[in-house]
């Protein structure tokens, strides 16, 4: 058993050391990331007080089944992303270590201001990482929107602090019924808008295209999996458990997230580049997952979160590898590339089919849970979700058909018509793609072996009393 | 052999075939014959079995299980026979395909998928296998001539299957079960709710059958699929749509449920609407078929019109007409399979399926010609062939209910088909 504070402290310490001992920074990065990936399995549930001040006065980290699950996923994804992107590190080892600390902190923190601090840490790391692709205009846009978002978030929590006098999550959750509705609406809207920037929800997601669409083998998988998972998970924690919305405001939020889903999927259908297709698909999936969190379908949301995170990791790794090898990712020019790279093709295909939610793959289990949850609340939401997933299916199938079957329209598909492009340094990606693909297939046939932990996490997210007693029990 | 074991063996056989084909193309092709024949013969013994339940796996909190029934046996026999017969072409076709291993894998997988649809005990199982059929057959089509047609196929197919999924969850939300039998007894007391479900569900059947507004995927997909897979698509997979139509109209007794609703010619207006769509497809399919130069597109359009017959027969739920519809499923499966395969043989020799480039084949390929001739005579409904019997039954059902308009449309089409096919035969063979 290890203390979860170490998951934040050790990466931070290593970040400082890596500045002093430049030569060993790579060793620090991979070592620490491996340590957190393994260490996250060995943490125990409970509330951990930092600095001796008990909550609600001091800052505390909370480990429950929910943050435990997210920590494991995120740390594994972080390590795999590093393996995929080790040719594109570009001396960003220190930044990545800080990111790791921030990511682990944001998942576990039990305090709204602390959440803000960690959010800023990972946002600043994200700006630096994104600028390594040298698309400065998009990074600048990201910087502006990110700053606006965090200011809005800060406004929101200031309002709550002014009314309730506390920023501790557990304390605030228990004081929430005393706050008047009009204050809640204002504060929640600010907080939601602030979180929506990172979570890629509609009016605040114009930065995503420039950042994801121009990503390299490190930043692509990093943003689309680690960052996406964490930001969706934070929305789940904040709006699913702590700040439960009991007014009509929730329909405004759900409208936004559903619109994000449908518009992003439509935009993906209109895209011709592999990375932009995946970008828009990421935005769409974020919309879907957060819709589920807001509807209270934590189980469905978490299944889709896991499904999306791992599928996108495989797909974004392959897409960015393709781009970095050929300086091009137009899908017409890539026709038939999977004929040369069987293993990557297989992993990519399974991931895509799982993301669409076709049976025999894990995503199907997610889809039926999503529909079940959506139907329990409203007749229209499942209809919109199905329309969105038809669109999603169409462009993924189009992509897969092109990448597997070269050939002019009207001629039999043949090897001669295939692309001349190849994917370099693809060994690790192939292995990871195959392993993820195999897990998707096995979990698609018997989901039990994966969903037990997800179910526990969903239950703990739905159960505010256990959360409260684990934090406030120490007072 | 228990049914669930047969399905599992089918799934495993698709993997085995995949690796065998990687090892040697011809061997893999021969093994598809063995495995599909094995599935066919092991299912034969379920002829008289009804109501036996077999569990496959537990899928989360849901059970995936099968139940035997007479109509499921009938459909599964037609489908597995079609697959079995077509599979004899596979070994010779392997060298023409870009990815033979994937072809064989998906060939077996789609076969198992169709069997799962027929024997499904509940709607969820049915949907799962339905979608497996869709994506398995989907990835075979682009190995042929077109990369666009699978997308048309997927789009139309998923419009159908997702509206079915919506209906399934709508029912689940109301009755808290997916079980077909339980639902069919529960909806009898809620006829107005069932209207909504009826149309959403039958969408899946209509799209798969290629009924009028959704007919565009048939010529695109059947016309450009690899030559050995077109007969499966047309003779086999289209019939899955017929099965869905059968479930929503007959297994769930739509006649009893809608008995208080507006009746047109003795048929509830819901069923009548479906029959009219079937009638339109008969006319549209035939008229479009006349214009085609590519033989495969022509057969695909004739599939549209024959799907119309099948749908009319099934939606009528008149004893005679219904029997005709079911019999026509068998006739069309065999006949369109024979037509597509004889053109596969022609394409194997000549490399083209355009009829304007062919001629005088009767001397060079007399056997293919004979098979083609028999098939079209049967499809046109000329007496000595079984197609006559099924069409006659459908007419009789229609005319005994006084639906002269539909009967006339159907009859007119028979004449057109007769003229067209015999003309084509004379011209091009």
């Amino acid at each position: 058993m290890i203390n979860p504070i170490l998951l934040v402290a050790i990466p931070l310490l290593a970040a400082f050391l890596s500045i002093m001992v430049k030569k060993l920074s790579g060793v620090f990065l991979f070592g620490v990331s491996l340590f957190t990936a393994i260490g996250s399995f060995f943490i125990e549930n409970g509330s951990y007080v930092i600095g001796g001040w008990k909550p609600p006065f001091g800052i505390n980290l909370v480990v429950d089944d929910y943050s435990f699950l997210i920590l494991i996923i995120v740390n594994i994804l972080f390590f795999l992303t590093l393996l995929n992107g080790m040719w594109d590190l570009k001396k960003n080892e220190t930044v990545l270590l800080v990111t790791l600390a921030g990511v682990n902190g944001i998942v576990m923190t039990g305090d709204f201001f602390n959440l803000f601090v960690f959010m800023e840490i990972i946002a600043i790391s994200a700006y630096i990482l994104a600028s390594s692709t040298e698309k400065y205009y998009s990074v600048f846009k990201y910087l502006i929107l990110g700053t606006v978002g965090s200011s809005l978030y800060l406004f929101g929590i200031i309002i709550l602090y002014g009314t309730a006098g506390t920023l501790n999550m557990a304390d605030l959750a228990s004081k929430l019924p005393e706050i008047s509705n009009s204050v809640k609406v204002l504060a929640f809207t600010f907080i939601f808008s602030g979180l929506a920037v990172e979570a890629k929800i509609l009016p605040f997601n114009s930065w995503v295209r420039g950042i994801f669409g121009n990503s390299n083998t490190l930043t692509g998988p990093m943003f689309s999996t680690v960052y996406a998972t964490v930001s969706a998970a934070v929305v789940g924690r904040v709006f699913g458990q702590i700040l439960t919305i009991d007014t009509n405001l929730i329909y405004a939020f759900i409208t936004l997230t559903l619109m994000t889903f449908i518009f992003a999927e439509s935009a993906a259908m209109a895209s011709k580049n592999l990375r932009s297709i995946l970008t828009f698909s990421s935005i769409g999936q974020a919309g879907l997952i957060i819709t589920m969190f807001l509807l209270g379908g934590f189980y469905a949301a978490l299944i889709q979160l896991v499904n999306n995170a791992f599928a996108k990791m495989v797909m974004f790794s392959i897409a960015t590898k393709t781009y970095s090898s050929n300086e091009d990712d137009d899908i017409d020019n890539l026709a038939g590339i999977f004929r040369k790279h069987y293993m990557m093709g297989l992993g990519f295909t399974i991931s895509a089919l799982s993301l669409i939610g076709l049976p025999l793959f894990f995503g199907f289990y997610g889809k039926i849970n999503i529909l079940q949850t959506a139907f329990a609340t409203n007749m229209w939401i499942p209809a919109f979700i199905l329309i969105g997933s038809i669109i999603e299916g169409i462009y993924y199938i189009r992509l897969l058909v092109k990448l597997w079957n070269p050939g002019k329209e009207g001629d039999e598909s043949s090897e001669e018509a295939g692309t001349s492009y190849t994917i370099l340094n693809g060994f690790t990606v192939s292995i990871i793609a195959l392993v993820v693909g195999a897990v998707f297939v096995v979990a698609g046939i018997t989901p039990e072996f994966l969903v037990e932990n997800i179910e526990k996490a969903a239950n703990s997210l739905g159960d505010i009393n256990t959360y409260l007693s684990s934090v406030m029990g120490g007072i | 052999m228990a049914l669930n074991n047969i399905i599992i063996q089918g799934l495993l056989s698709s993997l085995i075939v995949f690796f065998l084909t990687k090892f040697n193309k011809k061997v893999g092709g021969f093994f598809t014959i063995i495995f599909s024949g094995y599935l066919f013969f092991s299912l034969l013994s379920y002829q008289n079995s009804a109501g036996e339940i077999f569990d496959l796996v537990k899928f989360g909190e849901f059970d995936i299980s099968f139940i035997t029934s007479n109509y499921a046996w009938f459909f599964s026999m037609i489908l597995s026979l079609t697959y079995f017969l077509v599979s004899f072409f596979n070994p010779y076709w392997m060298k023409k395909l870009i990815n033979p291993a994937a072809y064989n894998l998906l060939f077996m997988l789609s076969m198992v998928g169709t069997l799962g649809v027929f024997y499904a005990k509940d709607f969820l199982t049915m949907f799962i296998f339905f979608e497996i059929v869709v994506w398995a057959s989907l990835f075979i089509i682009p190995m042929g001539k077109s990369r666009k047609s699978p997308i048309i196929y997927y789009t139309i197919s998923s419009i159908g299957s997702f509206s079915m999924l919506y209906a399934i969850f709508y029912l689940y939300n109301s009755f808290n079960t997916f079980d077909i039998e339980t639902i069919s007894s529960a909806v009898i007391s809620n006829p107005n709710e069932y209207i909504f479900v009826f149309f959403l569900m039958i969408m899946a059947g209509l799209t798969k059958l290629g009924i009028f507004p959704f007919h565009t995927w048939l010529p695109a997909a059947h016309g450009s699929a690899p030559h050995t897979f077109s007969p499966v698509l047309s003779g086999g997979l289209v019939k899955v749509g017929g099965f869905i139509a059968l479930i929503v109209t007959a297994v769930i007794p739509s006649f009893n449920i809608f008995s208080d609703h507006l009746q047109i010619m003795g048929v509830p207006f819901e069923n009548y609407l479906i029959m009219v769509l079937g009638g339109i497809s008969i006319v549209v399919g035939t008229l479009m078929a006349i214009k085609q130069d590519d033989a495969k597109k022509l057969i695909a359009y004739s599939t549209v019109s024959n799907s119309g017959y099948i749908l009319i027969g099934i939606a009528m739920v008149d004893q005679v007409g219904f029997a005709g519809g079911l019999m026509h499923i068998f006739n069309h499966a065999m006949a369109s399979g024979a037509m597509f395969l004889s053109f596969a043989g022609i394409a194997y020799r000549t490399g083209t399926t355009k009829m304007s480039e062919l001629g005088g084949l009767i001397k060079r390929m007399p056997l293919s010609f004979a098979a083609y001739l028999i098939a079209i005579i049967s499809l046109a409904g000329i007496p000595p062939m079984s197609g006559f019997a099924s069409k006659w039954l459908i007419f009789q059902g229609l005319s005994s209910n006084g639906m002269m308009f539909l009967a006339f449309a159907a009859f007119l089409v028979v004449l057109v088909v007769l003229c067209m096919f015999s003309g084509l035969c004379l011209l091009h063979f």
Side-chain angles (χ1 to χ4, degrees), chain A residues 356-380:
Chain A
I356 307 170
L358 291 180
L360 282 193
F361 307 109
F362 182 56
F364 181 71
Y365 186 66
K367 184 153 104 180
I368 58 175
N369 273 296
I370 286 172
L371 284 176
Q372 211 185 340
T373 318
F375 250 110
T377 51
N378 192 314
M379 292 273 291
W380 292 103

Side-chain angles (χ1 to χ4, degrees), chain A residues 160-177:
Chain A
L160 286 184
Y161 187 62
T163 354
T166 179
L167 280 177
N168 184 283
M169 287 187 184
D171 200 21
L172 198 59
S174 57
K175 284 182 181 157
L176 205 61

Side-chain angles (χ1 to χ4, degrees), chain A residues 339 365 379 408-410 444, chain B residues 59 61 98 145-147 166:
Chain A
R339 306 276 321 139
Y365 186 66
M379 292 273 291
K408 270 206 306 244
E409 194 72 11
Chain B
F59 190 67
E61 62 269 38
I98 183 169
K145 278 183 184 161
S146 167
R147 257 56 60 192
Y166 187 88

Side-chain angles (χ1 to χ4, degrees), chain B residues 37-315:
Chain B
Y38 170 75
L39 288 181
F40 173 68
F41 287 113
S42 45
L43 284 173
L44 264 177
S45 61
Y46 284 97
Q47 181 174 11
N48 295 318
S49 154
E52 272 185 81
I53 296 171
F54 300 94
D55 289 325
L56 190 63
V57 288
K58 254 185 95 58
F59 190 67
E61 62 269 38
F62 312 110
D63 279 318
I64 303 297
S65 46
F66 300 112
I67 188 165
T68 56
S69 62
N70 296 333
Y71 53 88
W73 181 81
F74 174 73
F75 272 86
S76 69
M77 278 297 102
I78 294 173
L79 257 288
S80 50
L81 183 62
T82 313
Y83 269 94
F84 178 45
L85 295 178
V86 171
S87 67
F88 282 90
F89 266 60
N90 285 349
Y92 305 100
W93 214 266
M94 288 295 120
K95 60 175 186 279
K96 298 212 172 193
L97 288 168
I98 183 169
N99 196 347
Y103 175 88
N104 284 339
L105 171 98
L106 297 170
F107 184 87
M108 291 307 297
L109 197 60
S110 61
M111 177 176 184
V112 179
T114 54
L115 300 179
V117 172
F118 299 146
Y119 285 107
K121 182 172 183 293
D122 51 71
F123 280 121
L124 187 68
T125 313
M126 192 165 94
F127 180 80
I128 289 175
F129 284 96
F130 188 85
E131 285 282 272
I132 290 177
V133 174
V134 171
W135 70 254
S137 53
L138 171 78
F139 284 113
I140 293 186
I141 295 170
M143 294 180 198
K145 278 183 184 161
S146 167
R147 257 56 60 192
K148 282 204 183 106
S149 53
I151 298 147
I152 302 173
Y153 173 37
Y154 181 79
T155 309
I156 293 183
S157 204
S158 55
I159 288 173
S161 58
F162 281 21
S163 61
M164 178 165 85
L165 185 63
Y166 187 88
I168 290 172
F169 274 92
Y170 183 84
L171 288 173
Y172 183 76
N173 202 34
S174 319
F175 304 118
N176 213 14
T177 177
F178 287 122
D179 190 76
I180 296 175
E181 228 178 85
T182 324
I183 285 176
S184 74
S185 53
V187 286
I188 290 182
S189 49
N190 313 337
N192 289 327
E193 205 167 355
Y194 188 60
I195 296 182
F196 181 58
V197 173
F198 176 80
F199 282 113
L200 281 177
M201 284 264 211
I202 211 161
M203 280 276 270
L206 299 186
T207 50
K208 205 84 188 128
L209 276 168
I211 294 302
F212 164 60
F214 308 110
H215 65 287
T216 44
W217 75 270
L218 288 181
H222 297 191
S224 59
H227 298 308
T228 45
F229 199 64
S230 299
V232 173
L233 278 172
S234 168
L237 299 188
V238 162
K239 309 300 178 288
V240 177
F243 183 78
I244 307 266
L246 178 94
I247 292 274
V248 274
T249 56
V251 175
I252 298 178
S254 60
F255 255 54
N256 296 345
I257 297 169
F258 296 143
S259 57
D260 296 339
H261 290 185
L262 175 66
Q263 307 271 321
I264 301 173
M265 309 280 182
V267 176
F269 78 93
E270 292 90 349
N271 289 45
Y272 193 76
L273 215 62
I274 300 299
M275 288 169 69
V276 169
L277 283 180
I280 296 174
S281 330
I282 294 178
V283 177
V284 168
T286 311
L287 293 183
M288 294 296 287
I290 298 173
K291 294 199 295 190
Q292 303 303 318
D293 181 35
D294 189 337
K296 288 177 74 179
K297 289 217 161 122
L298 184 147
I299 308 169
Y301 274 115
S302 97
T303 306
V304 173
S305 75
N306 280 289
S307 295
Y309 282 104
I310 293 170
L311 189 67
I312 287 183
I314 289 175

Side-chain angles (χ1 to χ4, degrees), chain A residues 27-176:
Chain A
V27 179
F28 279 131
L29 178 60
F30 280 90
V32 169
S33 150
L34 186 63
F35 162 76
T36 56
I38 296 169
S40 57
F41 282 93
F42 295 102
I43 54 177
E44 263 183 353
N45 284 4
S47 164
Y48 296 85
V49 177
I50 297 174
W53 292 87
K54 285 183 177 168
F57 307 108
I59 287 170
N60 63 326
L61 298 182
V62 182
V63 180
D64 56 0
D65 288 330
Y66 178 70
S67 42
F68 180 63
L69 177 79
I70 303 287
L71 270 182
I72 291 178
I73 295 170
V74 164
N75 282 295
I76 291 175
L77 285 173
F78 194 92
F79 183 65
L80 293 181
T81 306
L82 285 185
L83 286 183
N84 281 332
M86 60 177 128
W87 285 273
D88 265 326
L89 285 181
K90 295 188 182 160
K91 297 186 180 162
N92 278 327
E93 289 88 352
T94 312
V95 179
L96 285 165
L97 282 167
V98 174
T99 309
L100 185 56
V103 158
N104 284 335
I106 204 169
V107 174
M108 287 189 291
T109 184
D111 185 278
F112 274 108
F113 189 75
N114 198 223
L115 180 71
F116 170 75
V117 172
F118 282 126
M119 229 165 67
E120 284 291 88
I121 289 177
I122 68 166
I124 291 167
S125 327
Y127 308 144
I128 300 173
L129 282 179
S131 64
S132 69
T133 56
E134 299 183 350
K135 304 279 180 200
Y136 298 116
Y137 174 64
S138 353
V139 181
F140 187 63
K141 233 163 71 175
Y142 182 24
L143 180 77
I144 302 277
L145 267 169
T147 318
V148 169
S150 46
S151 331
L152 288 176
Y153 173 80
L154 202 56
F155 269 136
I157 60 171
I158 286 169
I159 293 172
L160 286 184
Y161 187 62
T163 354
T166 179
L167 280 177
N168 184 283
M169 287 187 184
D171 200 21
L172 198 59
S174 57
K175 284 182 181 157
L176 205 61

Side-chain angles (χ1 to χ4, degrees), chain A residues 12-13 45-46 73 80 95 125-126 139 171 174 179 189-190 197 199 266 324 364 366 398 417 429 435 461 469:
Chain A
L12 267 184
L13 178 70
N45 284 4
I73 295 170
L80 293 181
V95 179
S125 327
V139 181
D171 200 21
S174 57
I179 302 175
T189 312
F190 276 134
V197 177
S266 315
S324 72
F364 181 71
R398 187 184 66 189
V429 184
V435 172
L461 194 61
S469 63

